Amino acid sequence: TRQSERNQEIMYLDSIIALEGEEYADARQTAIDQKLKLVEVMEKELLLESLLKAKGYEDVVVSVGLTNDNINVVVKCDELTREDTAKIYSTINDQTSTSSDLVKIFDLHRRIRQSQVFRKRERRCLQSTADNQKRTGNRDQLQSQRRQRACG
């Protein structure tokens, strides 16, 4: 999960920070800077998720970029309306300085539905291909049998 990956990253950075010796000074400072950035991102994600949950979006995950200002929001709702996206953008803009063109909102139900529709279409296509191969195979077999009879 995201939390366990972050915990591992923090442990790794802590191990670098704990190194002793002047030769590790630059590595320690870099690790400290990275850890501060990571903690800042984690706090921002938690704050945004809490605020969005308070606005009625129970199943929501916010991912803030570590190396850029991108923010991804995955929300699970029956139908994501323009009003919903406006609320989400507004909440993010109130709490961050991220421009709305760097914010991406994904509707989990819609993605699931699209995936299900795609799988149904894929099954139909595969079935149609199999049916065509059977018909073609049968036709080829009949033509071969006719040739054999005509020649034999």
Side-chain angles (χ1 to χ4, degrees):
T1 65
R2 174 177 65 174
Q3 188 60 40
S4 63
E5 288 176 21
R6 297 274 173 84
N7 288 342
Q8 285 180 334
E9 193 168 350
I10 287 173
M11 285 175 32
Y12 172 72
L13 293 171
D14 284 341
S15 70
I16 295 172
I17 293 168
L19 293 173
E20 294 182 17
E22 191 58 35
E23 66 271 21
Y24 299 112
D26 288 341
R28 277 194 304 270
Q29 188 57 51
T30 301
I32 289 169
D33 294 343
Q34 288 177 348
K35 184 177 177 182
L36 289 173
K37 176 67 176 170
L38 180 59
V39 169
E40 178 185 317
V41 163
M42 291 168 64
E43 288 174 349
K44 192 181 294 186
E45 288 171 343
L46 184 61
L47 172 67
L48 292 171
E49 287 173 359
S50 297
L51 291 171
L52 291 170
K53 286 178 183 179
K55 292 190 177 199
Y57 304 101
E58 292 179 29
D59 290 327
V60 64
V61 176
V62 177
S63 175
V64 176
L66 276 170
T67 58
N68 55 40
D69 291 333
N70 293 345
I71 297 178
N72 294 317
V73 180
V74 179
V75 63
K76 183 178 176 183
C77 59
D78 292 334
E79 184 179 342
L80 193 64
T81 65
R82 284 186 177 193
E83 183 180 313
D84 292 320
T85 56
K87 269 194 229 178
I88 293 168
Y89 280 124
S90 175
T91 302
I92 290 171
N93 283 333
D94 290 347
Q95 299 301 317
T96 70
S97 59
T98 303
S99 78
S100 60
D101 61 320
L102 296 175
V103 177
K104 305 291 184 248
I105 301 172
F106 302 97
D107 176 359
L108 185 61
H109 267 80
R110 182 172 168 218
R111 293 257 182 224
I112 291 170
R113 284 190 304 270
Q114 286 174 339
S115 177
Q116 289 169 341
V117 167
F118 176 76
R119 282 194 296 260
K120 283 180 185 175
R121 285 183 187 157
E122 187 177 38
R123 278 194 298 265
R124 274 189 256 137
C125 182
L126 289 172
Q127 185 61 46
S128 175
T129 301
D131 291 345
N132 286 339
Q133 287 174 343
K134 284 180 186 174
R135 280 194 297 269
T136 303
N138 288 342
R139 186 180 61 220
D140 291 346
Q141 221 174 14
L142 287 172
Q143 287 174 348
S144 175
Q145 288 171 357
R146 286 182 191 146
R147 273 190 227 112
Q148 286 175 355
R149 279 189 227 138
C151 295

